Amino acid sequence: MEVLVKQFSPSQRQQLRRSLLEWYGQQGRSLPWRDQPTPYRVWISEVMLQQTQVKTVLPYFEQWMHQFRDIPSLAQADLQTVLKAWEGLGYYARARNLHRSAQQICDRHQGEFPKTYDEVLALPGIGRSTAGGILSAAFGQAYPLLDGNVKRVLARLIALPVPPAKALGQLWDLSAEILDDQHPRDFNQAIMDLGATCCTPKNPTCLLCPWRPFCQAYQTHQQQQLPMTESRSPLPHKQIGVAVIWNDRQQILIDRRPDEGLLGGLWEFPGGKLEAGESYQDCVRREIREELAIDVEVGDHLMTVTHAYSHFKVSLHVYHCRHVAGDPQPLESQEIRWVTLDELDQFPFPKANSKIIAALRHPPGESP
């Protein structure tokens, strides 16, 4: 559906740019990738900030830069090491894409981050907005962006009458229209900061906003209702039986997920989805037989962990199990290993599995 988007006159565009840059000069955040905006640091920060807030990213960014100092060191690192460094940030395809991109940059660009839009867009995991963010911040090139913060700011600025997802073309045009070609780095950083610190999803601080005189949402008292949201169906909720399998040497069996797909390349405690009419104990026994070709004796319930992903929720019903018969085989995983409880820290696990590890070390009811 084509949506008519308010057009700003040349003088209005100049006022928007000037007022935003003045605000940014006073209110802009000091961030490590801004203080030292090398292409590598900007690239890593832009990818980390996809789907993740700045306060969460900051410690990961500093540790990443310490561990992988440049593109060649990232390219040469083992993928498991990269995933371990990413552990807890979520959306692990981003880490896999960074690793692949680093190798691609070394192969095609002599280890130097590319400077053209098409070359940047060709890197795994980089879309139009991330490319614009990198090229403007790292090289001062005049490319617009449209991340979640910018969508919200622009939707309120023009009182967009539909959800942003239904007017992406028009929002891209608007982002390009108001971009300050003379100061694209600061302008793009400023509009993202405006959305993150002032034009927030709830309770925006409109009285402090430099764009208040131009904002249609503010003028029409719709800032709390905009941007419009699309109605969403309830998230599917999957029930999963999970086994912590012990052998007679007090080792635990873990397996590594396929590289592609959800949580690709991470390790986990084996298990699977509950079928109709099954008990969780029966589910665990069946799944372990199907996935690993072994028999287990299901023991005590350790815990239940509920975790939400972007499109569904899971509840992991975790049971202590004892290996009874058969040699484990990775029928549905890349690799399996017997490890001690102390060795679990060496492997990258999804967040929900990390809670299981913590419970194994400090069982419920026991003081840590």
Side-chain angles (χ1 to χ4, degrees):
M1 178 177 65
E2 188 74 15
V3 178
L4 290 177
V5 168
K6 173 181 170 59
Q7 299 292 308
F8 292 97
S9 68
S11 64
Q12 288 175 322
R13 291 197 293 270
Q14 282 301 107
Q15 291 176 63
L16 285 167
R17 294 164 187 157
R18 184 171 59 250
S19 61
L20 181 63
L21 290 175
E22 288 175 356
W23 174 87
Y24 182 64
Q26 298 174 350
Q27 303 295 330
R29 295 174 292 182
S30 175
L31 300 171
W33 47 88
R34 288 180 183 168
D35 299 339
Q36 299 178 54
T38 67
Y40 176 59
R41 291 168 66 86
V42 167
W43 169 44
I44 298 301
S45 71
E46 286 287 340
V47 174
M48 285 188 169
L49 288 166
Q50 294 170 349
Q51 311 285 345
T52 308
Q53 293 184 334
V54 165
K55 64 181 180 181
T56 303
V57 163
L58 283 170
Y60 280 92
F61 179 83
E62 297 291 4
Q63 178 57 37
W64 185 280
M65 288 299 147
H66 178 75
Q67 191 169 354
F68 311 111
R69 296 183 180 277
D70 51 27
I71 292 174
S73 67
L74 175 57
Q76 293 159 14
D78 178 75
L79 177 58
Q80 288 291 292
T81 303
V82 174
L83 289 172
K84 184 65 179 177
W86 197 270
E87 187 177 45
L89 260 184
Y91 298 95
Y92 288 88
R94 295 181 295 173
R96 299 195 301 273
N97 286 330
L98 283 173
H99 189 238
R100 287 171 52 210
S101 293
Q103 295 173 335
Q104 191 170 307
I105 291 169
C106 287
D107 290 342
R108 302 179 187 177
H109 306 287
Q110 295 74 51
E112 295 291 327
F113 196 87
K115 295 182 179 180
T116 72
Y117 182 81
D118 287 344
E119 288 173 329
V120 172
L121 202 59
L123 295 173
I126 293 186
R128 186 177 175 185
S129 188
T130 301
I134 294 170
L135 288 167
S136 61
F139 304 113
Q141 296 183 23
Y143 284 97
L145 47 75
L146 195 64
D147 72 353
N149 284 321
V150 176
K151 288 177 189 175
R152 183 170 59 257
V153 170
L154 296 183
R156 284 177 174 154
L157 180 65
I158 61 172
L160 187 68
V162 297
K166 295 188 179 298
L168 290 179
Q170 292 83 357
L171 290 176
W172 271 112
D173 290 344
L174 179 59
S175 183
E177 175 194 339
I178 64 175
L179 174 65
D180 190 327
D181 290 349
Q182 302 303 308
H183 307 95
R185 174 187 289 114
D186 285 350
F187 184 89
N188 277 342
Q189 296 299 310
I191 194 171
M192 288 190 290
D193 268 16
L194 187 67
T197 65
C198 183
C199 193
T200 50
K202 295 180 180 179
N203 303 315
T205 52
C206 297
L207 295 181
L208 303 178
C209 179
W211 281 0
R212 177 164 49 99
F214 309 94
C215 180
Q216 294 297 302
Y218 179 78
Q219 306 297 339
T220 57
H221 309 290
Q222 297 183 82
Q223 62 267 43
Q224 298 285 5
Q225 290 76 45
L226 296 177
M228 294 178 64
T229 57
E230 296 187 79
S231 58
R232 295 181 180 179
S233 302
L235 291 178
H237 194 159
K238 302 178 181 180
Q239 305 297 327
I240 309 292
V242 175
V244 178
I245 304 169
W246 299 86
N247 64 14
D248 55 10
R249 291 188 294 169
Q250 284 302 291
Q251 293 174 310
I252 302 168
L253 190 63
I254 59 174
D255 61 10
R256 184 159 65 92
R257 297 175 65 93
D259 278 337
E260 298 305 319
L262 181 71
L263 308 175
L266 299 183
W267 293 80
E268 65 181 0
F269 300 98
K273 190 175 178 181
L274 184 74
E275 293 186 351
E278 268 187 327
S279 67
Y280 289 114
Q281 293 91 333
D282 288 342
C283 170
V284 167
R285 274 188 287 269
R286 174 184 54 76
E287 286 287 343
I288 297 310
R289 196 174 298 117
E290 292 173 359
E291 290 185 14
L292 300 167
I294 61 174
D295 291 324
V296 296
E297 178 184 290
V298 181
D300 292 338
H301 176 252
L302 172 65
M303 68 186 309
T304 296
V305 180
T306 297
H307 188 75
Y309 295 96
S310 55
H311 299 299
F312 65 95
K313 291 196 295 186
V314 296
S315 287
L316 307 180
H317 303 266
V318 188
Y319 288 82
H320 286 290
C321 297
R322 185 173 68 86
H323 178 219
V324 175
D327 293 323
Q329 302 172 42
L331 300 180
E332 297 186 18
S333 59
Q334 292 196 83
E335 184 182 355
I336 54 176
R337 289 196 193 182
W338 288 105
V339 297
T340 66
L341 190 53
D342 288 340
E343 290 171 333
L344 289 172
D345 285 339
Q346 300 172 20
F347 302 88
F349 281 88
K351 192 170 187 178
N353 278 245
S354 297
K355 294 179 181 179
I356 298 172
I357 295 172
L360 288 170
R361 291 187 171 137
H362 305 291
E366 177 187 298
S367 299

